[in-house]
Amino acid sequence: MTLHIPFDNTYAQLPSQFYTRQSPTAVAAPRLLAFNADLAATLGIPPADEAELAAAFGGNQLPDGAEPLAQLYAGHQFGTFNPQLGDGRAVLLGEVVGTDGIRRDIQLKGSGPTPYSRNGDGRAWLGPVLREYVVSEAMHALGIPTTRALAAVETGETIWREGALPGAVLTRVALSHLRVGTFQVFAARGETAALKTLTDYAIARHYPHARGPMGLLRCARDAQAELIAAWMGVGFIHGVMNTDNSAISGETIDYGPCAFMDVFHPNRVFSSIDRAGRYAFSNQPEIAVWNLAQLATALIQQYDDPNEAVDEATEIVHAMPAQIEAAWLSRFRAKLGLSTEGADDLELITDLMGLMTDGQADFTNTFRSLMDGDARDQFLEPSVFDSWHLRWSKRLEAEVQPQAVMARANPVLIPRNHQIEHMIAAAVAGDLAPFERLMAALARPYEPQPSFEDLRRPPSEGEVVQATFCGT
Ligand code: AMP
Ligand code: MG
């Protein structure tokens, strides 16, 4: 039996220079590890048995109506422009319009080589696949825009990385896979007609009310500004904010060496490949602006006289830092239970974060414990918290329901690195129980759940994860 997915493909209708038609490469022994039945229902995918799902999402049996293709894009990687990247280990199966009326891409990641694979094998191993599954679904449950995970399939094949590892394929669902780099590739090639087509396509798909390239730029800016502020609010470090990993839709995309911080430090970096700290936690707003400037540069190439658009593009990009700051401030106000705006709020927040840095406080637990009244225990030297606490208590007198505001802004649970590492080690050994337990707990991250109390615990000294790896 072939899985039926109600595809309605539009990208495959675009001119052929946008992609290469490419089927997934069949794998030896596909076995379904995880399937997101709720998301499948939203996508209109009818119930199917495990073997059918494994065959479809392992890449062995194309669902009816799939028009698989590898998308072309370029991108700035760590600031250096690479004129041609593209899906090197992914294929877009097609798009569906869900029961909610929203159009989404269904993409296999780790599905075999494509013309854009360069020296890569086109594959992924189990670790990063389950990591993306857990972290992207946790992100969604946290209320932050993100690509979703529909399925994880073990391939029954060995992948060679630092050693022999089990292969896997992730099925990823996204509002689209249009990236800043998708625009850059045509701009760099001087393919103005393609750039115009892409701009119209992106507007129709994501921002139908936007007018022209500059309207698109504004909308992408607004979405990215909100996204970055949301990341900062949960201590998330993306790790590889290259322009090819920056989605026009404003979704978090490409979970590589990403991490949620345990102990707070503004300059925290996890990615083993980010030696200069370009994508450190507190650099993320600045990088988002830099990436938007690259999108602006690409978009203006489609004007007969690019000078026409330069002033407007500059104005749009220059407005972004203040916009991120405002979104950030509003999120951190909420984290402190503040619904009203006070002139000294910024100072109150940054002073707390300074104390957290010096006191090596756990980011998630410190904010959550503000509402439980035991935050001082999070600091190396608890007494440093007391004078700040006095100032905050005074400020709270102006608030009506700070507890309710804090409960919605401060998660109890985040996917902690050491728990993810533990989950991966167990899965490699054939035990998916930790994966399933993490998924169950992280589905309700803002609720205290007595049976998952242990997942709130920061890593012990021996459990601390110092670096995360791309896992390509
Ligand atoms: P990423 O760092 O995952 O965003 O990937 C950057 C680029 O490298 C993209 O063009 C990927 O498709 C490509 N790539 C990453 N891993 C592999 C792999 N194992 N095989 C082929 N291409 C890859
Ligand atoms: Mg990428």
Side-chain angles (χ1 to χ4, degrees), residues 73 85-89 117-118 120-123 161 245 254 472:
Y73 52 85
L85 290 163
D87 292 330
R89 53 162 168 169
S117 295
R118 294 171 291 162
D121 59 3
R123 293 296 186 188
R161 293 294 182 265
N245 294 337
D254 270 6
T472 54

Side-chain angles (χ1 to χ4, degrees), residues 336-338 391-400 402 406:
L336 297 191
L338 312 179
R391 283 164 65 199
W392 179 52
S393 302
K394 268 202 122 40
R395 173 64 182 84
L396 278 183
E397 287 165 12
E399 298 295 327
V400 185
M406 283 191 274

